[in-house]
Amino acid sequence: MRLDTSVQKLKGVGPRAAEVLAAKEIYTVGDLLRFYPVEYDLFTEPEPVAECAPGSLCTLRLLIIGKGSTFRKGARVMSHFEGSDGSGRVRLTFYNMPYVRQTLTAGAAFIFRGILRSTGAGSLYMEQPRFFSDVQYQRIRGTLQPRYRQIKGIGDGRMRTLLGTAIEETEGIRDDLPDDLREQYGLIGQREAVRTMHFPPDRESLQSARRRLIFDEFFSFIIGIRRQKSREGERSNPRPLKIGTGQKMSFPDRSLSGGWCEKLLQSLPFTLTQEQSRAWDEIRADLTGPLLMNRLLQGDVGSGKTILAFLALILCAENGRQGALMAPTEVLARQHMEGFTACMQKAGLPVRAVLLTGSVKGKARKEALQAIADGSADVVIGTHALFQEAVTFRDLSLVITDEQHRFGVRQRTGLADKGEKVPVLVMSATPIPRTLAIILYGELQVSSLRELPPGRQPIKSLAMQDSQRGRAYRFILSEIKKGRQCYVICPAVEEGEMQEIENVSDYTEKLRASLPSGLRIASMTGRMRPEEKTAVMDDFSAGNTDILVSTTVIEVGINVPNATVILIENAERFGLSQLHQLRGRVGRGQEQSYCIFLYSGKEKPERLAILEQSSNGFYIAEQDLRTRGPGDLFGVRQSGLPQFSLADIYEDADILKEAAECADRVLSRNPDYHPAQERVVDYSTI
Ligand code: ADP
Ligand code: MG
């Protein structure tokens, strides 16, 4: 079986399973094999309660005290039990599992594993712990169990079976690296690495498997870049755009002699900042010039990148050609669509945009695809749905990716492959250090927006202990009284996405209970269906919601100028860049905005101190690189730049350098080299 074989061909994958897999972007056997565990559970010896740190994953051997209680709370059945090991007591809570009562009987002992938490008052509890009898635990003690991102209907057990089959079926695929280079860089075999990731015998093997796969991700990425470059030859622009031609003949308005872009600029309620103007000059010069555009537009959150993307798309449309704008999330794509459509209406420009995301279905999807294929859509705005096979562009001449650090490598190259030589503009709020940018992108040109539009007041940021939550709530309330809106961010819990929902909905309930009634509080999680998310976001944008409780799904690019406060719970669990991105959800209008970081624990984390002092994204990115420790294999990744499935260009910078060197050596031996692992290229050499 080849890596690009459809997962449907795999034993055990029917049409339904294929559908849920596709929702997680698993289309091929290779995609499945790259669906690496998010973390590994090491089944450690039980520890005494008194020695466990709240907030961490703990293994406890507890004796059940008393009968426990089961009751209904809202739509849920809750069960509580008390457990003790002599050194301390822990309350064990289960949702919708009334039957555990039959097992967790008074006097019986079990091994419980879960995140140990502490209530404000200092008593300890665990929610939804997994539990085992002594005999059961004896069997798995000391082993590593992979845990996967949850997929509806495919639990970890079934996932392992599928992966087992996929590994067996692909056993024969040859290694991408010649033996001598593999040895020289101290890498284990590729198939072995894949197997070890999913079925790790021990930690050491896992380390070398991970190193090999990270190497491969960088390696194939760099091979792809190098080849693209050589294929592009002089990288000449095959069909430069023209300014102000109004080539779309069906549009007779003569007042547009200054061009459509000029017309749009005149209709805006603001003028471009100096930096925006300069960046637009650069982008326009690329599009109309002799060399193919390959440009990174970087600018802090709120620096006004979107309007530049719109200008580029309009220039393209004016020349009768198609442009695509790709966003990393459904919500953001929709927001761009609305923003774009509103701009076109206001400016009176005849540019037709269509939206193409995963939730555009049925007739609407068919129509959108048709419009893209026959060219009646000038602009296509969407998510990763944009590069699925079925999408054929009539004349794709510009690809823009927003928040590019959020996309996988495959996704970016995938879209660029839809057109022959397509100018590419990537926009990012997370600047990449220059040295890395050169390895990764080579000839990439960079435009930077280093100032924010005028009239913005810097966001006031404050980090406080979570015992001060009451103060924070009072502050939120005072802002809402002024007619403003507020975000509250809860971290996604490591325990899996079911608990993420529990977390957000529990939090929302608590928030409701502690604030005056009558406030309009909504919540949103990554697990909601795209339509639901959109509805919640729309309500919030329209000002119908006072407080939006959410996980980091709102992190990327959302723009609601009336939101002036963002409260981030458990801020210590987020990475620096991520916190900065989250903070950027406010401070988008004329009003003074605030960001409150709540942290648990006694000491203020250094990251939060940096954020209190600075709001400069470029500075923060540097600090991020500096403060980040070595990769935490067993922890949850908090990377600000998840470009690859496993690799992180900051943490794995050393491997990146080696992989770049190795790629160049391989190409010097064989300029036509194609790795089997490479994504979205032809696999003919396998
Ligand atoms: P980002 O760079 O984070 O994508 P956006 O493009 O979403 O930022 O812009 C943030 C806000 O700033 C938007 O409401 C946009 O209309 C506004 N904006 C952009 N450029 C200017 C400008 N030159 N003057 C005033 N407001 C601007
Ligand atoms: Mg943006």
Side-chain angles (χ1 to χ4, degrees):
M1 216 173 241
R2 298 170 10 155
L3 294 176
D4 62 346
T5 307
S6 156
V7 266
Q8 282 224 49
K9 296 270 155 60
L10 213 57
K11 207 176 119 230
V13 182
R16 271 195 55 176
E19 199 174 305
V20 288
L21 288 171
K24 295 278 174 183
E25 290 170 51
I26 300 173
Y27 306 106
T28 65
V29 173
D31 292 338
L32 181 68
L33 291 173
R34 273 190 302 272
F35 189 75
Y36 300 122
V38 273
E39 59 184 340
Y40 297 88
D41 239 355
L42 177 60
F43 289 98
T44 47
E45 296 290 320
E47 303 159 285
V49 173
E51 285 171 26
C52 291
S56 63
L57 176 68
C58 297
T59 306
L60 307 171
R61 185 173 186 280
L62 302 175
L63 211 64
I64 302 295
I65 303 169
K67 267 179 58 183
S69 59
T70 297
F71 54 92
R72 190 164 269 288
K73 188 178 168 202
R76 289 188 299 186
V77 180
M78 311 253 294
S79 309
H80 289 312
F81 300 88
E82 289 292 322
S84 163
D85 67 357
S87 81
R89 270 181 169 238
V90 178
R91 161 177 280 206
L92 306 157
T93 302
F94 296 87
Y95 300 103
N96 295 332
M97 295 170 67
Y99 46 85
V100 290
R101 185 169 46 185
Q102 277 135 40
T103 314
L104 301 182
T105 51
F110 290 91
I111 315 286
F112 293 91
R113 281 174 61 79
I115 309 277
L116 186 67
R117 300 195 186 281
S118 159
T119 64
S123 48
L124 298 170
Y125 66 98
M126 257 188 196
E127 288 176 329
Q128 303 280 84
R130 296 177 70 186
F131 60 91
F132 309 88
S133 69
D134 283 334
V135 176
Q136 283 170 333
Y137 201 71
Q138 192 58 45
R139 255 183 254 136
I140 54 171
R141 180 172 296 181
T143 62
L144 281 170
Q145 292 294 325
R147 289 236 297 258
Y148 294 91
R149 268 192 295 146
Q150 279 187 2
I151 298 187
K152 214 159 69 206
I154 302 186
D156 280 1
R158 174 137 180 242
M159 194 48 142
R160 273 195 284 271
T161 313
L162 291 182
L163 283 163
T165 318
I167 288 168
E168 220 169 89
E169 293 282 351
T170 53
E171 205 63 63
I173 296 179
R174 68 153 170 78
D175 204 294
D176 278 333
L177 291 181
D179 288 348
D180 62 324
L181 288 180
R182 196 157 63 81
E183 252 163 56
Q184 196 177 330
Y185 290 100
L187 299 167
I188 65 166
Q190 200 165 45
R191 307 323 308 160
E192 181 191 345
V194 171
R195 187 177 341 106
T196 304
M197 280 308 280
H198 296 292
F199 301 96
D202 53 56
R203 279 174 101 111
E204 288 69 39
S205 327
L206 197 51
Q207 299 276 14
S208 29
R210 195 166 174 275
R211 185 177 134 74
R212 170 68 210 249
L213 296 173
I214 289 173
F215 193 98
D216 285 351
E217 285 184 353
F218 286 141
F219 178 78
S220 60
F221 179 61
I222 288 163
I223 293 267
I225 293 172
R226 299 279 194 273
R227 211 193 7 257
Q228 195 178 340
K229 251 194 243 164
S230 67
R231 194 173 54 211
E232 282 162 5
E234 293 288 294
R235 302 179 10 89
S236 65
N237 190 0
R239 294 183 297 153
L241 301 180
K242 297 199 179 88
I243 298 172
T245 52
Q247 274 195 3
K248 203 170 170 182
M249 298 313 271
S250 59
F251 189 65
D253 186 344
R254 296 197 169 264
S255 69
L256 292 184
S257 56
W260 292 6
C261 295
E262 201 48 45
K263 180 111 178 163
L264 173 71
L265 288 172
Q266 280 162 16
S267 76
L268 291 175
F270 52 78
T271 48
L272 295 187
T273 65
Q274 245 178 16
E275 305 245 307
Q276 280 173 316
S277 295
R278 192 177 56 217
W280 171 229
D281 285 345
E282 289 165 351
I283 294 166
R284 193 180 41 199
D286 283 350
L287 290 172
T288 56
L291 293 183
L292 197 69
M293 176 163 77
N294 185 24
R295 185 172 288 278
L296 168 68
L297 172 62
Q298 54 179 20
D300 218 337
V301 279
S303 58
K305 297 183 287 292
T306 316
I307 192 67
L308 302 184
F310 288 2
L311 283 165
L313 291 168
I314 291 167
L315 182 59
C316 203
E318 185 182 16
N319 282 262
R321 316 255 288 273
Q322 286 178 308
L325 170 61
M326 192 163 61
T329 65
E330 181 99 27
V331 171
L332 190 54
R334 227 164 249 279
Q335 188 177 294
H336 280 331
M337 180 70 186
E338 278 156 24
F340 188 81
T341 315
C343 272
M344 291 313 100
Q345 250 160 24
K346 207 155 160 238
L349 288 171
V351 180
R352 179 170 173 217
V354 297
L355 182 72
L356 189 63
T357 67
S359 70
V360 176
K361 294 205 174 98
K363 191 160 159 260
R365 185 176 195 86
K366 244 175 114 180
E367 280 170 10
L369 289 173
Q370 180 60 38
I372 299 168
D374 69 19
S376 57
D378 305 296
V379 170
V380 185
I381 298 178
T383 51
H384 62 268
L386 270 184
F387 16 59
Q388 280 165 11
E389 307 285 292
V391 186
T392 315
F393 291 84
R394 195 179 77 92
D395 186 13
L396 182 61
S397 303
L398 170 65
V399 172
I400 306 177
T401 57
D402 191 13
E403 307 294 347
Q404 66 91 30
H405 61 284
R406 292 269 134 195
F407 283 99
V409 173
R410 176 171 76 130
Q411 297 169 332
R412 272 181 289 147
T413 51
L415 189 50
D417 284 355
K418 292 261 178 214
E420 278 284 285
K421 279 178 166 183
V422 180
V424 172
L425 176 68
V426 296
M427 309 201 291
S428 174
T430 309
I432 301 170
R434 181 130 193 93
T435 46
L436 293 178
I438 288 169
I439 294 183
L440 288 174
Y441 300 109
E443 314 284 279
L444 190 85
Q445 307 291 309
V446 181
S447 300
S448 301
L449 305 179
R450 288 180 177 269
E451 64 185 15
L452 295 184
R456 300 273 176 79
Q457 306 178 47
I459 301 164
K460 290 194 173 145
S461 300
L462 183 66
M464 33 194 212
Q465 268 184 340
D466 54 10
S467 54
Q468 310 242 38
R469 188 176 286 114
R471 258 180 72 199
Y473 282 179
R474 283 196 293 283
F475 180 74
I476 288 178
L477 209 55
S478 69
E479 282 293 297
I480 292 174
K481 285 212 179 102
K482 289 190 218 155
R484 314 272 179 269
Q485 291 162 280
C486 170
Y487 296 104
V488 177
I489 309 299
C490 307
V493 177
E494 300 90 327
E495 281 296 87
E497 292 170 59
M498 263 324 281
Q499 240 157 1
E500 169 183 334
I501 301 169
E502 303 285 358
N503 211 36
V504 168
S505 62
D506 275 3
Y507 189 95
T508 309
E509 272 173 41
K510 275 186 217 155
L511 191 67
R512 280 214 180 91
S514 34
L515 292 175
S517 59
L519 285 188
R520 298 163 302 177
I521 304 178
S523 61
M524 181 161 82
T525 72
R527 273 293 285 231
M528 285 162 76
R529 278 184 290 123
E531 308 86 82
E532 294 175 300
K533 275 191 243 175
T534 308
V536 172
M537 255 345 281
D538 284 351
D539 249 13
F540 190 72
S541 302
N544 298 332
T545 309
D546 299 309
I547 303 179
L548 178 61
V549 182
S550 164
T551 54
T552 53
V553 284
I554 65 128
E555 177 190 349
V556 173
I558 298 301
N559 189 26
V560 180
N562 191 45
T564 56
V565 192
I566 184 163
L567 171 73
I568 302 173
E569 288 278 353
N570 290 106
E572 74 279 0
R573 293 209 215 161
F574 296 103
L576 195 47
S577 294
Q578 200 178 10
L579 288 168
H580 179 61
Q581 290 279 331
L582 283 167
R583 176 166 64 179
R585 294 315 107 217
V586 299
R588 302 190 144 243
Q590 300 296 320
E591 307 300 333
Q592 174 65 55
S593 288
Y594 306 87
C595 177
I596 306 171
F597 302 108
L598 289 182
Y599 58 91
S600 62
K602 287 211 173 62
E603 259 174 57
K604 186 189 290 182
E606 187 191 356
R607 266 174 290 158
L608 300 186
I610 293 171
L611 287 162
E612 277 183 314
Q613 286 153 20
S614 175
S615 56
N616 180 331
F618 290 87
Y619 171 76
I620 286 167
E622 273 167 33
Q623 295 302 309
D624 199 9
L625 185 55
R626 189 181 63 75
T627 56
R628 199 182 297 225
D632 175 15
L633 179 52
F634 295 91
V636 175
R637 298 169 57 80
Q638 301 190 326
S639 166
L641 278 175
Q643 295 241 7
F644 303 91
S645 328
L646 290 170
D648 180 306
I649 56 171
Y650 286 152
E651 287 179 9
D652 306 315
D654 293 345
I655 305 183
L656 174 58
K657 289 198 188 96
E658 286 182 348
E661 180 193 297
C662 182
D664 288 335
R665 293 172 66 172
V666 166
L667 285 175
S668 71
R669 288 183 196 179
N670 172 13
D672 291 329
Y673 175 84
H674 284 253
Q677 288 277 320
E678 194 177 3
R679 300 120 192 233
V680 202
V681 282
D682 71 60
Y683 292 83
S684 55
T685 54
I686 300 169

